[in-house]
Amino acid sequence: MNWVDTIVQGTLLGGLYALFAMGLAVIYGVMRQINIAHGDFIVLGAYLSLGLIAATGLHPFLVIPLAAAVFALFGYALQRGLLNRTLGGGILAPLVVTYGLAIVIENVLQQTQSADARSIKLPGLDTASLPIGGGLAVGAFPLIMFVVAAAVALVLEIVFNRTRLGVAFRAVSDDREIASIVGMRDERLFGYASAISFAVIAIASVFMGIKFTFTPSLGPNFLLYAFEAIVIGGMGSFYGTLAGGVILGIAQAIGFAINPGWGILAGHLVFLAVLLVRPTGLFARTA
Amino acid sequence: MSALLETHALTAYYGDFQALFGIDAEVRDGECVALIGANGAGKSTFLRAIAGLGRSAPDAIVFDGTRIGAKSPPEIAALGIALVPEGRRLFASLSVEENLSTGTFNGRKGPWTTGRVYELFPVLAEKRRASPNALSGGQQQMVAIGRALMANPRLLMCDEVSLGLAPAVVKDVYAALRRACAESGVSVVIVEQDIDLACAMSQRAYCFTHGNVSLSGESGALTRDAISAAYFGV
């Protein structure tokens, strides 16, 4: 096993897991709501992107902003029309409703798209790579994926910590009642947060579709990776979530290198170890 | 003087318990009204009802001629009603300055800026980047008052700002509050446990007992005995 190569590959894969996780972290961070259908929305986004690529003939990377815009509108409408109604009555209602959504999405996709494995083709960049010295090379696509993940983390950090919208997001998360009496319209803010989350989901779904082959039933796996990356990284910082994704990616890469059957398991073990030793996560900013 | 705020037979609930049984009260333009009464008498529930945190009949609360009983908290905030809530309730993940800035989310124009709040409470200027958790109780109360002033309110409601503060700090906070309100002509409602302080601060007072007004009048004219009698409902 070449350690450097394994860790580099794991780091870049971790970018994808961070993309999975950041959308979930936005929703949890603002609404304290867990979207169980998060992974299924990633799968749905991949099918949507396939459709958009087929319809427009655009390069997959050019479809990303289009898919993100469509998903942002969809996320806003879903939050205002459905998910806001589940808030305020304890944690059970949002869990049950999003779990129901997960089942609906998976089955509708099975019905309409079949259970055949699909993937998004990446013309030109599939096999391109950059030498990084020492006889090693990194794939251009995984590198782009990681850079995009880091950029998304940076943008989210700026939005949450340097803008008026971010002040409102954190305030409504801290104390919804007081946020409302200073004049913040929480239902609208939740809609915005959901729009941001779904834009990130759309970005993640295109990279997922290129990196993996996917079927309608993969959603729960992606939810699990997202959840693990958040727990490893800790709440309250998108850089922490990025680091959590990277640690998960490296753990899986090392596991795969030791034995092809152990990759996923190694990721779960690192997650459990963090949960045991530091339940608030390695880079938590808020409790 | 015309009434800025009137309540008509206002009822309200604290959880499943009825906390207010038909309150008729008014706050006039530019005056300071004190609410006194024992714990659980309904003073905080009254302030919360006016801020929109509770379901009231539309015409049970009238603010500047507008029936606001059924309006949402953000709508009421936009009309110029601000609350300094019991226990301060600062936003823990926001810095002091960000906490102050949340007061502006009601969209009202007016004289208050973070700069003016720092003039009023100079100690906050040094702590502007700090977390509210790193402040003393008195400083936290200053942030809570500053946040409410930043809303450029016409009616400022203060719920037990003296709670848990050293007496000297209480004096400073009330002096600043009095100055700020006099300058900007805002009407004030204070809930205060210290009856002497409450009467000294206010022009008129209402004494709440078991969700009813048991006594009301000019603060200077209320005698100790009358207040004691009203306080305990004897």
Side-chain angles (χ1 to χ4, degrees):
Chain A
M1 179 170 78
N2 182 329
W3 281 96
V4 177
D5 184 51
T6 304
I7 288 170
V8 169
Q9 302 308 329
T11 302
L12 299 183
L13 177 64
L16 180 62
Y17 294 155
L19 282 173
F20 288 176
M22 285 185 285
L24 194 65
V26 168
I27 298 239
Y28 185 75
V30 177
M31 283 86 109
R32 303 278 148 191
Q33 186 175 46
I34 292 182
N35 177 9
I36 297 285
H38 183 78
D40 297 277
F41 283 120
I42 294 172
V43 175
L44 181 67
Y47 282 101
L48 170 79
S49 302
L50 268 182
L52 288 173
I53 291 164
T56 62
L58 288 172
H59 188 277
F61 286 165
L62 296 178
V63 161
I64 290 176
L66 196 59
V70 171
F71 249 41
L73 288 174
F74 172 65
Y76 182 84
L78 184 73
Q79 189 69 36
R80 294 301 299 266
L82 178 67
L83 297 179
N84 273 348
R85 293 163 204 268
T86 68
L87 290 170
I91 62 163
L92 193 60
L95 287 179
V96 171
V97 169
T98 54
Y99 183 59
L101 278 176
I103 295 170
V104 170
I105 293 166
E106 182 177 334
N107 283 284
V108 167
L109 286 175
Q110 294 270 19
Q111 280 292 325
T112 60
Q113 307 294 318
S114 88
D116 295 345
R118 309 286 299 274
S119 73
I120 297 173
K121 299 282 173 291
L122 188 66
L125 276 170
D126 293 45
T127 53
S129 66
L130 301 170
I132 54 169
L136 292 173
V138 292
F141 168 71
L143 192 60
I144 291 168
M145 184 165 75
F146 183 82
V147 169
V148 168
V152 168
L154 175 68
V155 168
L156 290 176
E157 281 286 325
I158 290 171
V159 168
F160 271 72
N161 294 317
R162 299 266 178 275
T163 69
R164 198 167 156 80
L165 181 65
V167 167
F169 279 160
R170 285 179 287 144
V172 83
S173 166
D174 280 348
D175 192 330
R176 204 178 159 190
E177 191 174 87
I178 298 302
S180 78
I181 65 160
V182 299
M184 295 175 184
R185 296 175 189 270
D186 49 10
E187 302 214 325
R188 199 181 297 169
L189 286 170
F190 293 164
Y192 295 153
S194 193
I196 292 172
S197 169
F198 273 75
V200 176
I201 287 175
I203 297 168
S205 69
V206 173
F207 284 102
M208 183 283 289
I210 297 168
K211 177 81 186 163
F212 298 147
T213 56
F214 55 91
T215 66
S217 60
L218 279 181
N221 295 329
F222 299 152
L223 172 68
L224 186 57
Y225 297 156
F227 188 69
E228 289 181 344
I230 290 175
V231 171
I232 292 171
M235 284 307 299
S237 154
F238 293 103
Y239 298 140
T241 305
L242 180 65
V246 167
I247 291 169
L248 183 63
I250 292 174
Q252 287 193 2
I254 292 175
F256 273 121
I258 294 169
N259 182 319
W262 290 358
I264 308 294
L265 178 67
H268 295 333
L269 289 177
V270 167
F271 159 70
L272 285 174
V274 170
L275 207 52
L276 208 63
V277 178
R278 256 185 90 102
T280 56
L282 299 178
F283 310 98
R285 196 181 288 164
T286 57
Chain B
M1 275 198 288
S2 60
L4 179 65
L5 177 86
E6 295 168 71
T7 65
H8 304 291
L10 175 64
T11 58
Y13 291 80
Y14 182 84
D16 288 335
F17 294 97
Q18 186 164 3
L20 299 179
F21 297 87
I23 302 286
D24 293 294
E26 65 171 27
V27 180
R28 297 167 196 157
D29 255 330
E31 78 170 341
C32 177
V33 168
L35 306 184
I36 53 179
N39 281 332
K43 307 179 298 293
S44 293
T45 306
F46 179 76
L47 296 191
R48 288 171 56 87
I50 291 166
L53 300 170
R55 276 186 295 276
S56 311
D59 49 7
I61 308 170
V62 179
F63 180 71
D64 194 25
T66 310
R67 298 183 306 160
I68 62 166
K71 289 194 185 295
S72 70
E75 288 171 329
I76 291 170
L79 290 172
I81 296 182
L83 173 66
V84 179
E86 187 178 2
R88 311 187 270 267
R89 306 272 292 267
L90 299 178
F91 299 112
S93 10
L94 272 54
S95 69
V96 166
E97 185 144 307
E98 286 172 333
N99 264 284
L100 293 176
S101 78
T102 60
T104 65
F105 272 82
N106 65 352
R108 283 176 63 83
K109 300 267 177 290
W112 286 98
T113 59
T114 46
R116 263 197 82 180
V117 173
Y118 293 145
E119 275 173 35
L120 188 64
F121 301 118
V123 63
L124 295 184
E126 313 151 20
K127 309 264 186 182
R128 56 170 52 169
R129 304 257 170 266
S131 160
N133 294 330
L135 304 184
S136 71
Q139 292 165 349
Q140 289 181 4
Q141 194 65 67
M142 292 170 197
V143 178
I145 292 170
R147 175 175 69 185
L149 289 172
M150 290 284 286
N152 289 303
R154 299 181 62 195
L155 176 67
L156 177 66
M157 307 188 292
C158 300
D159 198 348
E160 303 221 18
V161 295
S162 61
L163 197 71
L165 304 187
V169 178
V170 172
K171 223 177 101 214
D172 288 350
V173 167
Y174 268 115
L177 191 61
R178 191 202 295 261
R179 200 162 67 242
C181 295
E183 279 171 25
S184 48
V186 58
S187 304
V188 184
V189 179
I190 56 167
V191 167
E192 176 52 59
Q193 292 287 355
D194 181 337
I195 295 168
D196 291 335
L197 187 57
C199 289
M201 274 292 291
S202 60
Q203 281 91 58
R204 290 189 307 115
Y206 291 89
C207 184
F208 280 45
T209 310
H210 304 311
N212 292 290
V213 172
S214 52
L215 179 72
S216 66
E218 304 276 326
S219 300
L222 297 179
T223 64
R224 266 282 186 191
D225 288 345
I227 291 173
S228 297
Y231 225 83
F232 301 109
V234 292

